[in-house]
């Protein structure tokens, strides 16, 4: 049985429409084309569809397929991602070093993923910003458009932001922003947009920063997630305050405080409260 037929059968088995399956992953038209065998989906897309359909990749490809043999690499990359999200770079470094043989056999998207992680470790583990930049820039040139390339571009921007070379960082963030597609993961897009906003704010480009912030807010609100919502609200308040719209800024700061409080982020709630108190006193004067 072909992949498209298996997707259709499983979708119907769990009473899921094409629209339900595609939501937040790709277009409904793409699902239709896959099921009609008009296009062969990438493994990255298949991983997302398998997760939505609550089956493993083995369900579609079989235990002895090449795709199935990639499962160990895929599991490792997911584990590495989890620790990257928590900025646990020592653990990431251990995982990379202890799975060197497996990583050397990785090809395609998996191979590029581990090369990206290697570039991050040059900076966050070794403290070599220039080596990280050279590695990431070279890697980005080898990649096709997609979510991973978006992350690499974001990482390059972050490296230049760290070096306070804001004009170059801005060019990379803008490049990533122009790559956005509806099928891309909203969290990856939100991260780039937040970093883009920070870069613009650092250059006193408050109007441009607000434009990106509002788009970031629209994105996370549309997804009904708190992910980076507090951060976007903070930069909304920051830019409004710099533009002398202090009452609106105070409102945004209070909203940010609420989000950070819900997330039990004590560090940010304390910082936000100090900002709110300061601005509140200024408005009374």
């Amino acid at each position: 049985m072909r992949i498209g037929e298996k997707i259709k059968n499983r979708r119907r088995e769990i009473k899921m429409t094409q629209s339900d399956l595609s939501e937040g992953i790709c277009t409904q038209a793409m699902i239709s084309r896959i099921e009609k065998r008009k296009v062969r989906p990438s493994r990255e897309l298949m991983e997302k569809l398998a997760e939505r359909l609550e089956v493993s990749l083995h369900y579609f490809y079989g235990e002895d397929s090449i795709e199935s043999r990639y499962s160990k690499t895929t599991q490792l990359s997911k584990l590495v991602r989890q620790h990257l999200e928590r900025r646990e770079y020592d653990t990431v470094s251990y995982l990379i070093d202890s799975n060197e043989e497996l990583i050397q056999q990785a090809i395609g998207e998996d191979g590029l993923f581990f090369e990206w992680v290697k570039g991050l470790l040059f900076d966050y583990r070794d403290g070599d910003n220039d080596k990280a930049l050279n590695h990431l820039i070279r890697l980005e040139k080898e990649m096709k458009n997609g979510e991973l390339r978006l992350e690499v571009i974001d990482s390059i921007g972050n490296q230049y932001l760290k070096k306070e070379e804001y004009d170059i960082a801005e060019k990379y963030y803008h490049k990533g922003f122009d790559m956005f597609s509806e099928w891309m993961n909203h969290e990856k897009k939100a991260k780039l947009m937040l970093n883009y906003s920070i870069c613009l704010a650092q250059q006193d480009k408050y109007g441009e920063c607000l434009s990106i912030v509002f788009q970031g807010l629209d994105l996370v609100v549309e997804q009904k997630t708190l992910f980076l919502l507090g951060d976007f609200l903070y930069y909304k308040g920051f830019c409004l305050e710099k533009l002398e719209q202090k009452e609106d800024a105070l409102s945004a700061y209070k909203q940010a405080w609420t989000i950070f409080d819900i997330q039990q982020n004590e560090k940010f709630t304390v910082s936000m409260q100090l900002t709110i108190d300061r601005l509140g006193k200024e408005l009374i004067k």
Side-chain angles (χ1 to χ4, degrees):
M1 188 181 297
R2 301 287 185 176
I3 290 175
E5 294 174 292
K6 290 184 178 181
I7 290 176
K8 182 191 292 186
N9 289 346
R10 176 58 181 167
R11 178 174 60 75
R12 290 178 172 175
E13 181 182 331
I14 60 177
K15 296 179 172 55
M16 181 180 287
T17 66
Q18 288 183 343
S19 179
D20 293 333
L21 178 57
S22 66
E23 185 177 1
I25 296 177
C26 61
T27 62
Q28 182 178 343
M30 175 63 78
I31 298 298
S32 177
R33 293 177 67 197
I34 292 171
E35 291 186 353
K36 292 177 180 178
R37 295 168 52 188
K38 292 183 177 180
V39 64
R40 181 176 177 83
S42 67
R43 194 162 63 88
E44 181 181 11
L45 176 56
M46 283 305 302
E47 286 175 2
K48 295 177 181 179
L49 295 178
E51 184 176 358
R52 179 68 54 82
L53 292 167
E54 300 179 351
V55 293
S56 71
L57 281 178
H58 296 169
Y59 176 87
F60 299 108
Y61 296 113
E63 294 290 338
D64 296 327
S65 66
I66 293 175
E67 287 85 353
S68 176
R69 280 177 243 150
Y70 286 153
S71 60
K72 289 184 180 179
T73 309
T74 301
Q75 290 302 315
L76 175 61
S77 64
K78 289 181 178 178
L79 185 59
V80 168
R81 273 197 179 278
Q82 291 173 6
H83 290 289
L84 277 178
E85 292 294 328
R86 297 195 288 266
R87 300 182 182 182
E88 296 169 347
Y89 300 112
D90 288 342
T91 303
V92 171
S93 181
Y94 170 77
L95 288 170
I96 296 298
D97 291 343
S98 60
N99 290 277
E100 185 176 354
E101 184 175 346
L102 178 63
I103 291 171
Q104 287 177 349
Q105 297 174 359
I107 60 174
E109 193 82 356
D110 283 331
L112 293 171
F113 169 78
F114 289 115
E115 284 299 309
W116 171 54
V117 174
K118 184 189 297 184
L120 296 180
L121 290 177
F122 285 147
D123 178 35
Y124 297 114
R125 179 193 60 190
D126 305 334
D128 195 332
N129 177 268
D130 290 333
K131 187 174 182 181
L133 263 175
N134 290 335
H135 182 87
L136 292 169
I137 291 171
R138 184 169 61 251
L139 178 63
E140 190 261 328
K141 291 178 180 178
E142 300 173 1
M143 304 177 74
K144 297 179 180 178
N145 284 351
E147 287 186 351
L148 184 57
R149 188 181 181 201
L150 182 70
E151 291 182 288
V152 172
I153 289 172
D154 189 24
S155 297
I156 295 171
N158 294 344
Q159 293 297 318
Y160 280 115
L161 187 63
K162 190 173 181 180
K163 289 165 68 73
E164 299 184 359
E165 296 183 24
Y166 302 122
D167 55 337
I168 304 178
E170 181 182 346
K171 289 178 182 178
Y172 273 97
Y173 293 135
H174 186 76
K175 181 179 183 179
F177 187 74
D178 282 346
M179 280 177 50
F180 283 2
S181 297
E182 64 175 27
W183 57 267
M184 287 184 174
N185 178 280
H186 71 275
E187 292 186 355
K188 294 173 184 176
K189 291 196 286 188
K191 286 179 184 177
L192 186 140
M193 293 170 81
L194 179 62
N195 291 328
Y196 194 179
S197 302
I198 294 170
C199 181
L200 292 169
Q202 290 289 342
Q203 299 176 82
D204 301 337
K205 297 180 178 181
Y206 305 120
E208 294 177 52
C209 178
L210 267 179
S211 176
I212 302 298
V213 165
F214 282 130
Q215 292 178 70
L217 285 170
D218 287 343
L219 175 65
V220 296
V221 169
E222 180 183 346
Q223 294 294 326
K224 299 178 181 178
T225 176
L226 296 181
F227 181 73
L228 297 183
L229 179 57
D231 300 82
F232 281 119
L233 287 168
Y234 166 76
Y235 275 97
K236 176 184 176 181
F238 179 83
C239 291
L240 288 171
E241 182 179 359
K242 292 294 184 180
L243 293 170
E244 297 298 326
Q245 299 179 39
K246 294 188 177 182
E247 290 187 1
D248 290 335
L250 182 60
S251 176
Y253 284 147
K254 288 179 178 178
Q255 289 177 306
W257 182 94
T258 300
I259 299 302
F260 292 138
D261 185 51
I262 291 172
Q263 295 174 324
Q264 298 183 331
N265 190 327
E266 185 177 355
K267 177 182 176 182
F268 281 15
T269 52
V270 170
S271 175
M272 285 310 314
Q273 189 60 58
L274 292 172
T275 301
I276 290 168
D277 291 344
R278 172 188 56 76
L279 188 55
K281 290 177 182 178
E282 290 180 15
L283 286 170
I284 293 174
K285 293 178 181 179

